[in-house]
Amino acid sequence: MKFDVVTLFPELIDIYTRNGIIGRAVENGLFEFEAFNLRDYSEDKHKKVDDYPYGGGPGMLLKPEPMFKLLDAIKKHNSYIIYLSPKGSLFNQNKAKELSQKDHLILIAGHYEGIDQRIIERYVDEEISVGDFVLTSGELPVLTIVDAVGRLLPGVLGSEESAIEESHSDGLLEYPQYTRPESYQGMDVPEILLSGHHKKIEEWRLFKAIEITLKRRPDLIKDKSIIEKYNKLSQIYK
């Protein structure tokens, strides 16, 4: 898989993608990554890539000419082009899984008041938002997509189970986790986790995952059978 990012600040993207788990994945060739500076495709002598919107209004828009030129240069027959926009559909774990099946993602980091609509109509396959809020630029949303999708690719995480047993992977928030020491400042690890009884540990973890989800994100629970399962487990682990 390859990620290509269209940005005005490639140095911000590079810092993140050269470090940590994502950086190691790129270095080890588990996926390809490249950031393209939109200004390099401007024919303006000052490398200008924005202009005022027709019809008036505050702010500036990214111009179509440099964006058309850049996207024509990097897109392929299997490219899937995403524009990170507050108007887009909300990003979640299911979308991350869906995008992890693509061969080539091109991610456009927006700036100012956005981009010329003709760019969207000509090139963009999907507009995605990472939340119901507005940021000063699109680099953080782009990196959110790269991280969430990249970590799902084979070999990126140290353990394949790490991508499975976590919040949102099965529609629930993650259960509480503990490590050594067994007791610290009067706070003890739940006895069930020390029992060595794997089936009961799995049941307890499921119970706690449902419990936390019901308290914090009840909107995530769509299946009534989960509530029934919770009620049954609560008789044992409450």
Side-chain angles (χ1 to χ4, degrees):
M1 185 179 192
K2 184 178 184 184
F3 293 91
D4 282 333
V5 173
V6 177
T7 174
L8 294 183
F9 302 101
E11 63 276 11
L12 297 181
I13 302 292
D14 288 341
I15 289 173
Y16 188 83
T17 54
R18 289 178 181 175
N19 295 279
I21 291 174
I22 297 301
R24 288 196 299 272
V26 174
E27 185 178 345
N28 293 332
L30 297 177
F31 62 81
E32 296 179 64
F33 182 89
E34 191 167 358
F36 294 87
N37 191 335
L38 183 61
R39 296 188 191 280
D40 292 340
Y41 293 80
S42 173
E43 296 181 358
D44 182 87
K45 66 178 181 178
H46 300 296
K47 297 300 179 182
K48 185 178 179 182
V49 294
D50 60 328
D51 211 331
Y52 295 101
Y54 279 116
M60 308 285 277
L61 293 175
L62 291 180
K63 294 160 57 69
E65 303 99 310
M67 190 73 77
F68 273 47
K69 188 176 178 181
L70 195 164
L71 293 175
D72 282 339
I74 65 175
K75 71 181 182 67
K76 304 177 179 63
H77 71 281
N78 60 351
S79 299
Y80 193 76
I81 302 178
I82 297 170
Y83 169 46
L84 279 299
S85 164
K87 295 185 294 184
S89 57
L90 198 60
F91 185 66
N92 57 29
Q93 190 67 18
N94 286 334
K95 177 57 67 173
K97 292 176 182 176
E98 178 187 323
L99 295 178
S100 72
Q101 302 302 310
K102 304 292 185 183
D103 294 318
H104 183 211
L105 291 181
I106 297 177
L107 305 168
I108 301 174
H111 282 273
Y112 315 120
E113 293 301 308
I115 65 178
D116 189 290
Q117 181 64 25
R118 289 166 291 187
I119 301 168
I120 297 173
E121 293 174 0
R122 173 67 66 87
Y123 296 99
V124 173
D125 294 299
E126 185 172 6
E127 292 183 67
I128 291 179
S129 168
V130 296
D132 295 331
F133 48 84
V134 180
L135 299 172
T136 55
S137 66
E139 278 71 28
L140 286 176
V142 160
L143 289 173
T144 298
I145 303 293
V146 171
D147 192 295
V149 175
R151 67 192 301 277
L152 295 177
L153 300 178
V156 172
L157 296 181
S159 168
E160 294 302 320
E161 292 182 354
S162 296
I164 299 173
E165 296 186 3
E166 57 190 9
S167 291
H168 301 292
S169 61
D170 57 359
L172 299 172
L173 300 183
E174 191 175 24
Y175 50 79
Q177 300 217 54
Y178 300 83
T179 187
R180 293 177 178 81
E182 183 178 319
S183 181
Y184 186 70
Q185 294 191 359
M187 296 180 288
D188 299 327
V189 174
E191 289 186 14
I192 185 69
L193 298 178
L194 308 174
S195 68
H197 197 304
H198 298 299
K199 184 175 185 300
K200 288 187 178 297
I201 290 173
E202 288 179 7
E203 287 181 346
W204 179 86
R205 284 175 168 171
L206 176 60
F207 168 71
K208 298 304 286 186
I210 299 173
E211 182 179 62
I212 290 172
T213 306
L214 284 171
K215 287 180 179 178
R216 301 181 184 179
R217 291 293 305 279
D219 57 295
L220 294 176
I221 297 180
K222 312 294 184 184
D223 190 343
K224 290 183 179 179
S225 67
I226 293 178
I227 304 298
E228 294 173 2
K229 191 174 295 184
Y230 172 76
N231 292 332
K232 182 178 178 180
L233 291 172
S234 67
Q235 297 174 17
I236 305 171
Y237 299 109
K238 193 73 170 178

